Amino acid sequence: MLTPNAALADYSEIVPDERRRRLLFAAMEVMVKVPLENVTMERIAREAKVTRVTLYREFGNRGTLIEAVIAFRLILFDKDFFQNTDSNLDFPELVQRYLIASVLASKSGAATRRWTRGGMKFLHSGSLIHRVATATWTPILAKYNASGDPVNGIKAEDIGLWLIVLQYSLGRMVFDTGCDEQTVLSIVRQFVSPAFLAREGAAGSAGSEIA
């Protein structure tokens, strides 16, 4: 097996330099403190100690900035997840762990909870968040395909979109119903993992345990 590694992903489009990173962190701080509808360019500018003009020059408008923050949070999550993931995983197990970890992260993050309750408008094909997911999964799929444990027929842009929609949907389900981690895991095993297991010709291992 190989060690999945998102460090090879190219996120320069979203975070091209330290200046952009600092502005995104400031916006994240505001999103933690206030509901999404109350996040304004003025609040973020104050938090970042810059002018509103600077923010508009950097991001264009409030909607683009909020989408960039959500994409940046996804980058941080992906990097942390893959740096701390067991290397001895087949692809279905990797996806299981990724989705469970994303739900747990959503439950513990105020900003993520607010975004999840706000709707799916940032999740369309070609969105900034979709491009982050594609950047993350492109080198990972390439490694599996080169390792003799191929994920045949799946494109990074397709699995990227599919996974961010699943992350949102599972997070929303947890917030709305209060279901626990085991329920989410059962849903992922029954309805998500078989898609990959069927491709890999290992349909009988859908119930593999997560430690």
Side-chain angles (χ1 to χ4, degrees):
M1 294 292 180
L2 69 161
T3 302
N5 187 358
L8 299 176
D10 181 7
Y11 300 121
S12 58
E13 176 191 8
I14 296 90
V15 192
D17 51 40
E18 184 57 33
R19 180 171 177 271
R20 170 71 68 93
R21 183 183 180 88
R22 183 171 60 84
L23 294 175
L24 290 170
F25 268 120
M28 284 172 56
E29 284 297 313
V30 174
M31 290 175 67
V32 167
K33 295 173 183 175
V34 301
L36 195 57
E37 62 269 20
N38 294 337
V39 174
T40 64
M41 299 295 263
E42 183 175 357
R43 283 180 181 268
I44 295 170
R46 283 203 304 267
E47 184 73 31
K49 297 180 173 56
V50 298
T51 67
R52 283 187 300 169
V53 171
T54 297
L55 290 181
Y56 280 108
R57 284 176 177 167
E58 187 76 20
F59 297 99
N61 57 60
R62 175 183 176 275
T64 301
L65 173 53
I66 290 175
E67 183 179 7
V69 171
I70 296 170
F72 184 51
R73 287 182 65 83
L74 181 58
I75 289 172
L76 297 178
F77 170 80
D78 285 354
K79 285 186 174 182
D80 180 69
F81 173 81
F82 286 106
Q83 287 169 1
N84 294 283
T85 295
D86 184 352
S87 62
N88 295 311
L89 297 175
D90 61 21
F91 194 76
E93 290 178 61
L94 175 66
V95 171
Q96 285 180 11
R97 291 185 183 233
Y98 181 82
L99 290 172
I100 295 301
S102 71
V103 169
L104 294 177
S106 297
K107 288 177 66 175
S108 64
T112 306
R113 287 198 303 273
R114 287 167 178 160
W115 164 64
T116 301
R117 290 190 179 280
M120 298 178 67
K121 66 178 181 178
F122 297 123
L123 301 186
H124 59 85
S125 179
S127 69
L128 196 58
I129 297 164
H130 180 209
R131 298 202 293 275
V132 168
T134 300
T136 293
W137 289 93
T138 293
I140 292 167
L141 285 176
K143 282 190 170 185
Y144 274 97
N145 287 330
S147 73
D149 187 19
V151 189
N152 295 319
I154 301 179
K155 297 179 180 179
E157 58 266 29
D158 294 335
I159 193 172
L161 183 61
W162 192 58
L163 285 174
I164 57 176
V165 171
L166 278 171
Q167 285 175 278
Y168 171 87
S169 301
L170 291 170
R172 185 64 185 259
M173 180 186 71
V174 169
F175 300 148
D176 289 348
T177 68
C179 65
D180 59 18
E181 180 183 342
Q182 284 303 120
T183 300
V184 177
L185 178 57
S186 176
I187 290 170
V188 171
R189 283 176 171 168
Q190 290 182 60
F191 301 108
V192 178
S193 297
F196 301 108
L197 291 165
R199 289 176 183 275
E200 297 181 327
S205 59
S208 60
E209 291 296 322
I210 291 183

